[in-house]
Amino acid sequence: MATTKEIVSFRDVAKIYRGRPAVSDVNITIKEGEFVCFIGTSGSGKTTTMRMINRMLEPTKGTIIFKGKNIRKYDPVRLRRTIGYVIQNNGLMPHMTIKDNITLVPKLLKWSQEKMDKKAHELIKLAELPDSYLDMFPAELSGGQQQRIGVVRALAADQDIILMDEPFGALDPITRDNLQDLVKNLQETLGKTIVFVTHDMDEALKLATHIVIMDSGKIIQDDTPDNILQHPANDFVKDLLGEERLLQAQQNTLSVGDIMSKNPAHITLGRSLSEAIWEMSRHHVDSLLVTDDSKKLKGYIDLETINDHYSKDLSVSDIYANNLIKVRKDSFLRDTSERILKQGYKYVPVVDKDNTLIGIVTRASLVNVVYDAIWGKEELENPEDANLPVSISKGSENA
Ligand code: ADP
Ligand code: MG
């Protein structure tokens, strides 16, 4: 869970090599519990930025604050032990068993043997590997298994923040996917803060709660994945995301109000049944939404019910049905469309926060949107669906 407490912040940081900035104007705030991904092309300054956090590199300019204190005020060796670090080739010592590798830092911290043994068993379990692996050497494990050890070792240590520099870059896609799940699960359950470098947008979108996009040593955009997808800062970011993801993201934030038809056929409670029939024929529909005089949605009435109960003395209020589902104008389609499609409603009325009837979402318009999200923006070539939006065909039993 992300809290609002800052753990690291960069203030106007630059790293300059022989007059050439590797990174400059870096201002980032990392909060506790965040999963931050630095993403950018090779040479954009991701590693340099990350390594300044634990003083593997010293900034040329600016300040970095770690837990409220300038990192210069910490002893560099102790700082590095306080901050976990995972690299691509897992950093396991080849001549040490998995168990010794896992308990390397606890040993430095002078834990008791008993405590270290307990930790080793705990970790191998977290890595989802058998206990017998503890006595093996790294070379006896596959690359993916070695990296599982590297990941749990870093995550299970008593460090609140872990730096990971393209840790899964050398792994095949399936192993990589499994390790991403592992690191994400551990991060969430253990409540760690992770700073993760990648050049893979899929990886960043899968893992990150906070993405920092870098290009040529500068931060181009720094925001949540959602906000970046919704508002890419420039063409570089758009290219990095790709057209397909942008389209998908756009569909994901469509609200009911964006696709509803306005002015659905409706009638007020006090009107007579013959007036209702007349309204239906005028709109070529067999069902009307029912509102009170101030347009608050009350229910619906359909032709079949009128046929069954017709009397010229009855009004809409006598026989309308009030058991209908409705959606709010500002609710996201992604949250409502599946429900509507699955339950087989032909249409769903749309109301504002005061329950005023303002529109209608038809099954056909939803199908269009879902179709666009899956297949892209092409015309839907189903003539039957083409003009459904204003003609309300009979609602389902619950509608
Ligand atoms: P990334 O991790 O995004 O691939 P780096 O942070 O490794 O990028 O490098 C950023 C830039 O800084 C690159 O242009 C790189 O050549 C330069 N750079 C990195 N380390 C050094 C160094 N020790 N000396 C000179 N230039 C360096
Ligand atoms: Mg790098």
Side-chain angles (χ1 to χ4, degrees), residues 15 17-18 20-23 40-49 57 165-166 197 214 217:
K15 178 71 184 176
Y17 290 110
R18 292 195 213 113
R20 267 195 73 237
V23 296
T41 47
S42 174
S44 56
K46 307 180 294 294
T47 297
T48 305
T49 307
L57 294 172
D165 196 347
E166 310 213 22
V197 164
M214 300 194 67

Side-chain angles (χ1 to χ4, degrees), residues 119-139:
K119 193 75 177 177
H121 288 288
E122 215 179 279
L123 291 192
I124 203 79
K125 208 170 156 196
L126 279 182
E128 294 156 17
L129 293 171
D131 252 15
S132 57
Y133 278 47
L134 285 173
D135 298 323
M136 288 161 69
F137 289 91

